[in-house]
Amino acid sequence: RSLTLVSTLSGAVYAFGSNSHGQLGLGGSEVDKFAPTEVKSLRTQKICPTGLAAGSEHSIVLTSEGGVFSWGSNKHGQLGRKSATEVDGTPARIIELMGTVV
């Protein structure tokens, strides 16, 4: 599976490519996106320009305040969230890392 994450200077995150497991962060396993699409649920977060990671079926971002958000497939626990379902297409904070210096 292929996907790309990019961030703008203002901290907005855009995703495009495969979305078979919600890895684009658009709120579900929507159709694949062939053009950059804003991950709107991260609008209130200040994303680090170098804090983006895209796996084959999941994605993770780091905020400038040290928060970590993940989404996509959690089949093997790759979202790092105990409460996550097998597929979570909406970015959510990894609360297990809160209070940890990242």
Side-chain angles (χ1 to χ4, degrees), residues 17-85:
S18 175
N19 196 37
S20 58
H21 293 85
Q23 62 265 48
L24 297 182
L26 305 175
S29 297
E30 298 178 14
V31 297
D32 299 347
K33 298 292 184 182
F34 296 94
T37 304
E38 185 179 8
V39 182
K40 293 179 182 177
S41 63
L42 292 173
R43 276 185 179 167
T44 61
Q45 304 300 320
K46 189 171 182 181
I47 305 301
C48 289
T50 58
L52 306 171
S56 64
E57 297 176 350
H58 71 289
S59 301
I60 296 179
V61 296
L62 173 67
T63 69
S64 60
E65 293 81 25
V68 182
F69 288 75
S70 64
W71 62 93
S73 173
N74 195 42
K75 187 174 182 179
H76 304 287
Q78 60 266 51
L79 297 184
R81 295 186 272 127
K82 293 178 186 176
S83 62
T85 58

